[in-house]
């Protein structure tokens, strides 16, 4: 039987045959992660896409000066999908689980093989690509706002980040200093 969180994504993405669902279920596997465990490192090809069953993750990179910059957070029920993994090119980012986490994994190679056998996989690919693009757009959009507005927007749209992530990562994500974030948190 297919996992509830996977079923939800399939319902969101389109119509899929029972045979497709059965094949997908065979390819999925559950992985468990410890806090601060890195699942993708910059410069490596990402092997899997993940659906977070339980836990919280983030993506980040290091700039030329060695400063760390958080670019993405994922919550329970989110799909960790990357263009780099899908197209089998080295990633620019590190992805790590922040606390004890369980994720349903599907290899990008298996995903591609599934696509060759089941044309309806295109709907799932489109869903993942569009969801990823929407998140990128939101990230770009939030950075155009003033510091207070960036904070308020994140608080309104994804307040679980404040429960699951240290302030230094949130400040990095919002492109502000920890001191500025602390002042904003004190006001709201």
């Amino acid at each position: 039987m297919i996992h509830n969180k996977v079923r939800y994504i399939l319902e969101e993405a389109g119509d899929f045959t029972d045979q497709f669902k059965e094949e997908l279920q065979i390819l999925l596997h559950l992985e468990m992660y410890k806090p601060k465990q890195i699942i993708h490192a910059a410069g490596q090809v990402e092997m899997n896409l993940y659906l977070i069953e339980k836990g919280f993750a983030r993506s980040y990179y290091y700039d030329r000066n060695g400063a760390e910059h958080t670019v993405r957070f994922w919550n329970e029920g989110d799909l960790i999908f990357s263009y780099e993994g899908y197209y089998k090119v080295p990633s620019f980012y590190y992805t790590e689980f922040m606390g004890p986490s369980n994720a349903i994994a599907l290899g990008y190679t298996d995903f591609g093989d599934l696509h060759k056998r089941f044309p309806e996989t295109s709907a799932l690919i489109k869903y993942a690509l569009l969801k990823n693009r929407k998140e990128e757009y939101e990230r770009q959009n939030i950075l155009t706002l003033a510091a207070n507005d960036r904070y308020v927007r994140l608080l309104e749209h994804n307040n679980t980040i404040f429960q699951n992530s240290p302030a230094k990562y949130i400040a990095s994500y919002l492109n502000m200093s920890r001191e500025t974030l602390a002042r904003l948190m004190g006001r709201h």
Side-chain angles (χ1 to χ4, degrees):
M1 183 170 179
I2 206 148
H3 191 279
N4 285 338
K5 289 185 180 355
V6 174
R7 184 180 302 114
Y8 174 78
I9 285 178
L10 292 176
E11 288 171 0
E12 289 263 305
D15 294 319
F16 299 93
T17 63
D18 289 338
Q19 187 178 6
F20 172 84
K21 292 175 189 175
E22 289 169 14
E23 289 291 322
L24 178 63
Q25 181 62 37
I26 292 168
L27 298 173
L28 297 173
H29 58 280
L30 183 65
E31 296 182 356
M32 292 175 222
Y33 294 97
K34 296 176 182 173
K36 306 296 267 166
Q37 188 168 351
I38 295 172
I39 59 170
H40 301 303
Q44 297 178 347
V45 175
E46 299 174 31
M47 303 305 292
N48 297 315
L49 61 98
Y50 301 89
L51 175 60
I52 300 178
E53 179 186 59
K54 176 185 156 239
F56 184 76
R58 75 176 181 116
S59 247
Y60 60 96
Y61 71 94
Y62 292 98
D63 67 20
R64 290 183 203 166
N65 300 320
E68 187 177 289
H69 301 275
T70 298
V71 295
R72 184 92 182 260
F73 291 106
W74 288 277
N75 295 304
E76 193 172 297
D78 285 345
L79 187 63
I80 300 176
F81 175 88
S82 78
Y83 296 113
E84 294 93 345
Y86 181 71
Y87 292 113
K88 297 177 179 67
V89 297
S91 176
F92 298 108
Y93 305 106
Y94 292 86
T95 302
E96 75 174 337
F97 281 103
M98 303 292 290
S101 301
N102 297 340
I104 300 166
L106 174 64
Y108 282 111
T109 300
D110 290 338
F111 196 41
D113 292 343
L114 197 64
H115 189 216
K116 289 174 189 168
R117 294 188 337 221
F118 296 94
E120 68 223 61
T121 308
S122 293
L124 189 55
I125 293 168
K126 181 179 177 183
Y127 172 83
L129 290 170
L130 288 174
K131 192 157 183 56
N132 197 37
R133 182 63 193 121
K134 182 180 174 189
E135 291 297 326
E136 287 175 355
Y137 174 79
E138 177 62 24
R139 168 85 172 127
Q140 292 167 352
N141 194 4
I142 205 170
L143 292 177
T144 65
L145 303 173
N148 183 67
D149 296 334
R150 290 194 303 266
Y151 171 76
V152 169
R153 180 120 168 220
L154 185 62
L155 192 59
E156 288 173 351
H157 288 92
N158 201 348
N159 66 359
T160 59
I161 289 172
F162 294 90
Q163 298 157 8
N164 294 312
S165 179
K168 69 179 183 177
Y169 298 147
I170 298 169
S172 171
Y173 178 79
L174 291 173
N175 196 29
M176 63 179 64
S177 69
R178 281 187 256 177
E179 295 77 18
T180 299
L181 178 61
R183 277 195 304 276
L184 293 170
M185 290 173 80
R187 280 191 225 157
H188 294 274

